Amino acid sequence: MSACLTFPNKWKSFLLILVASVLLCLLSANWTSQSIFSYKWQCGELPFRFPDSIPPLVHWTSKDGRVPAKLVPIVRSWRRLLDVRLNDSSSADRNSSNADEFPADRWHFMHWDDKQISELISKHYPYLVQSYRKLVNGLERSDIGRLVVLHHVGGLYIDTDVELLRDPTPLLRPSQLQEAGLTPNFDCESAVWSQEPVEHPTFIFNMNKSLISNAVMMSRANHSFLSFVLKTWPSWFERNWEKARRRSVNDAIKVTGPLMLQKFYDNYTVLKQSDRPKDWCGSMLSEQDTFQPLSDLYYGAARLKEVCSNAAKLNLLQRQYCKRLADAKFKQKQIPKSSYTVHRFLHMSYRRYFLRLTAMSEILPILKCNV
């Protein structure tokens, strides 16, 4: 009898918990939606709000708008830009009748998932569609997607494991770009590209030169280098990779990532004078320490000490680098005060199985526009 009398009470407790859970989800969903700000403009119209600078727009990409919880503190580091005001916003922005709808005097955050990028490519980059659909994993699609976003809208693209250290606003203006001392021969007025930490090309790829990176990139919309890559990549991909369909995630660096980008950068920077567009740049690369002062942990001080101990297997450049490390007693490198960001190389964006995920809109206010 007592069991029969207490049974309804158990159901009441269950129902109370269920109702509370639903209410919590609704409240959470409502808060999240308030963190997404939509404007009536087309995405391609946003660059015109900033005619005299690289747009103060920070872009991330992910599969579905969520990131592993471990990345949340890193993404949250960019919130400090909410307190930055751009003192030199253009008169066009200040006098626009829509200025009160779109604050053009501060940074904005944008996020692009796979569905949005596919829509952007289908609508504005039809020449990419066939090759893009042949990409075999999320990392390859992200590599091409970030280039498309930067070309279409402009701004600053960063990987989700790139942490902000100091305000990058001075890098938005052409006159300040050339004075920033990014590299000794930096000569670009419209774009800044990061480089992989020196350990990566030297020890991972046995290269005798630096390697461009796609983890941190700044550019105006429709930049000629991005146009050069996006228009040339499909035919190159079809010739070299279309039939290699059993590619692993590790192949992305060659198919769509830094090694591919370096190849096209080398070809772009040696264009004949007659073939150079107006915004052509002979050198748009920053120093490694500007955005990526630390290497992947796998090639940290302890690992390199082990690698350098076997000098017989090293090439000349590697031995020279090992000597510098030995002179410094293989101490862990410290992040210079001049660095704007640091790349943590957590490798989690598309390896998310069994990970707790958090919506980007729960971390930052996300700006949306019409593709």
Side-chain angles (χ1 to χ4, degrees):
M1 180 70 70
S2 62
C4 294
L5 290 173
T6 57
F7 183 75
N9 291 330
K10 291 180 179 179
W11 274 103
K12 287 179 182 178
S13 299
F14 172 77
L15 288 173
L16 284 172
I17 293 172
L18 181 62
V19 170
S21 299
V22 170
L23 287 173
L24 184 62
C25 289
L26 290 173
L27 287 171
S28 175
N30 183 56
W31 185 87
T32 299
S33 66
Q34 291 176 359
S35 297
I36 300 178
F37 301 91
S38 298
Y39 292 95
K40 62 185 178 182
W41 298 301
Q42 298 296 314
C43 298
E45 294 176 339
L46 289 178
F48 297 104
R49 307 290 295 174
F50 311 96
D52 300 321
S53 73
I54 294 173
L57 305 171
V58 183
H59 303 279
W60 291 269
T61 65
S62 73
K63 179 180 176 63
D64 57 8
R66 299 180 298 166
V67 295
K70 189 174 181 179
L71 294 175
V72 170
I74 295 176
V75 175
R76 189 176 286 132
S77 70
W78 292 83
R79 287 190 67 93
R80 72 184 67 176
L81 288 185
L82 294 176
D83 299 325
V84 174
R85 286 294 178 266
L86 311 177
N87 296 324
D88 298 324
S89 54
S90 69
S91 57
D93 291 331
R94 289 193 297 269
N95 297 330
S96 169
S97 60
N98 292 324
D100 58 332
E101 299 178 28
F102 184 89
D105 64 341
R106 66 177 178 84
W107 284 85
H108 295 272
F109 305 119
M110 304 187 73
H111 175 272
W112 305 78
D113 60 30
D114 285 357
K115 182 179 179 181
Q116 291 169 313
I117 289 174
S118 294
E119 183 182 355
L120 182 62
I121 290 174
S122 296
K123 188 172 289 188
H124 298 283
Y125 300 85
Y127 57 88
L128 285 174
V129 171
Q130 182 178 349
S131 298
Y132 181 78
R133 288 176 177 170
K134 293 177 182 178
L135 300 178
V136 297
N137 56 60
L139 188 54
E140 290 184 353
R141 289 188 287 272
S142 173
D143 283 343
I144 296 300
R146 67 189 68 178
L147 299 179
V148 169
V149 166
L150 208 57
H151 181 268
H152 192 65
V153 184
L156 165 61
Y157 168 83
I158 52 170
D159 279 356
T160 50
D161 57 354
V162 172
E163 180 180 350
L164 179 67
L165 299 178
R166 66 187 184 108
D167 179 16
T169 300
L171 302 181
L172 296 176
R173 298 274 165 183
S175 59
Q176 294 169 320
L177 276 180
Q178 291 192 350
E179 299 171 1
L182 296 174
T183 53
N185 58 344
F186 187 88
D187 69 352
C188 196
E189 294 190 347
S190 49
V192 184
W193 245 259
S194 65
Q195 295 191 71
E196 292 286 326
V198 66
E199 294 87 349
H200 296 183
T202 303
F203 291 97
I204 301 177
F205 304 112
N206 293 319
M207 297 173 63
N208 59 1
K209 63 177 184 179
S210 60
L211 178 62
I212 195 172
S213 174
N214 64 353
V216 183
M217 306 177 286
M218 299 180 70
S219 173
R220 290 193 182 189
N222 302 301
H223 194 277
S224 60
F225 174 56
L226 288 165
S227 298
F228 181 80
V229 174
L230 294 175
K231 290 179 180 178
T232 312
W233 175 80
S235 59
W236 175 86
F237 170 80
E238 297 292 335
R239 289 195 310 271
N240 295 280
W241 291 100
E242 189 272 336
K243 294 182 179 179
R245 296 180 182 178
R246 293 185 176 180
R247 301 188 298 273
S248 71
V249 172
N250 294 329
D251 289 322
I253 193 169
K254 296 178 280 189
V255 181
T256 55
L259 289 178
M260 176 279 291
L261 208 57
Q262 184 68 52
K263 184 183 297 291
F264 286 96
Y265 180 76
D266 291 341
N267 293 336
Y268 170 83
T269 54
V270 296
L271 286 173
K272 295 179 181 179
Q273 187 76 34
S274 58
D275 296 332
R276 294 175 182 175
K278 290 183 178 180
D279 65 347
W280 177 86
C281 297
S283 176
M284 64 182 84
L285 301 181
S286 67
E287 295 281 7
Q288 286 91 343
D289 284 350
T290 304
F291 297 111
Q292 301 191 72
L294 302 182
S295 68
D296 192 316
L297 282 177
Y298 184 74
Y299 277 86
R303 168 64 175 160
L304 286 176
K305 185 175 183 179
E306 178 184 346
V307 171
C308 291
S309 66
N310 196 348
K313 292 186 177 181
L314 303 179
N315 60 36
L316 177 60
L317 185 63
Q318 290 170 339
R319 289 198 296 272
Q320 291 173 343
Y321 189 77
C322 283
K323 185 179 185 306
R324 292 200 298 272
L325 290 175
D327 292 341
K329 299 181 180 179
F330 290 97
K331 290 182 180 179
Q332 184 65 41
K333 182 179 178 180
Q334 300 299 307
I335 300 175
K337 292 182 179 179
S338 60
S339 298
Y340 286 93
T341 64
V342 59
H343 193 179
R344 298 300 184 183
F345 293 103
L346 297 182
H347 308 293
M348 300 178 70
S349 295
Y350 280 87
R351 296 176 180 176
R352 313 181 314 161
Y353 305 109
F354 309 113
L355 296 175
R356 186 163 60 90
L357 302 175
T358 301
M360 285 288 292
S361 56
E362 293 182 8
I363 310 170
L364 297 166
I366 299 298
L367 167 68
K368 295 288 185 182
C369 53
N370 298 319
V371 172

